[in-house]
Amino acid sequence: MAGEIYNIVKLVPRPEKFNELVEAFKTLSKHVQEQEPKTQIYFALQPPKSQELIIVEKYTDIDNLKAHAGSSEFKTFFKAVGPLLAQPAEIKTSSFVGGFDGRAKL
């Protein structure tokens, strides 16, 4: 896979663990924003009437993704949230095929 890489990650927490999962993600996303300048998009969504957390990520290239996944902060995050999850994380690594993923700022 060449060029930019997108990940769509679905995390399903155990009952009553959604807020803990969100707080762990907020800590990680703050680190990503401050320390991973090549990571272009990194945010989480909650579908309506769901306790799922959907994370959207965009990396400049495979090296950027590998650096993120290999960071101690990411490893700490996954170790911490493992017991909070009702099922394994579902990760879909994707390539951009059309549309737009941002608007130019004037």
Side-chain angles (χ1 to χ4, degrees):
M1 194 178 298
E4 297 173 334
I5 298 169
Y6 295 78
N7 276 347
I8 308 299
V9 181
K10 181 172 90 170
L11 301 177
V12 180
R14 295 182 186 280
E16 308 301 322
K17 297 297 182 182
F18 180 79
N19 291 337
E20 287 180 61
L21 180 61
V22 168
E23 289 307 312
F25 175 78
K26 286 179 180 180
T27 299
L28 177 62
S29 66
K30 183 176 185 208
H31 165 79
V32 170
Q33 183 177 23
E34 294 173 354
Q35 302 297 321
E36 296 183 18
K38 286 185 161 188
T39 301
Q40 299 175 337
I41 294 174
Y42 205 80
F43 63 86
L45 304 167
Q46 180 184 13
K49 299 179 184 175
S50 167
Q51 291 293 296
E52 296 175 353
L53 192 66
I54 306 297
I55 301 170
V56 180
E57 310 168 352
K58 179 183 176 185
Y59 302 96
T60 54
D61 54 35
I62 191 66
D63 291 333
N64 177 202
L65 173 57
K66 286 179 181 179
H68 169 73
S71 72
S72 61
E73 290 79 8
F74 179 77
K75 290 175 183 178
T76 298
F77 168 78
F78 250 89
K79 185 176 180 182
V81 302
L84 305 177
L85 299 179
Q87 62 190 48
E90 182 181 320
I91 303 170
K92 293 185 180 185
T93 299
S94 307
S95 299
F96 188 81
V97 296
F100 64 93
D101 70 355
R103 295 193 182 266
K105 295 179 182 175
L106 300 177

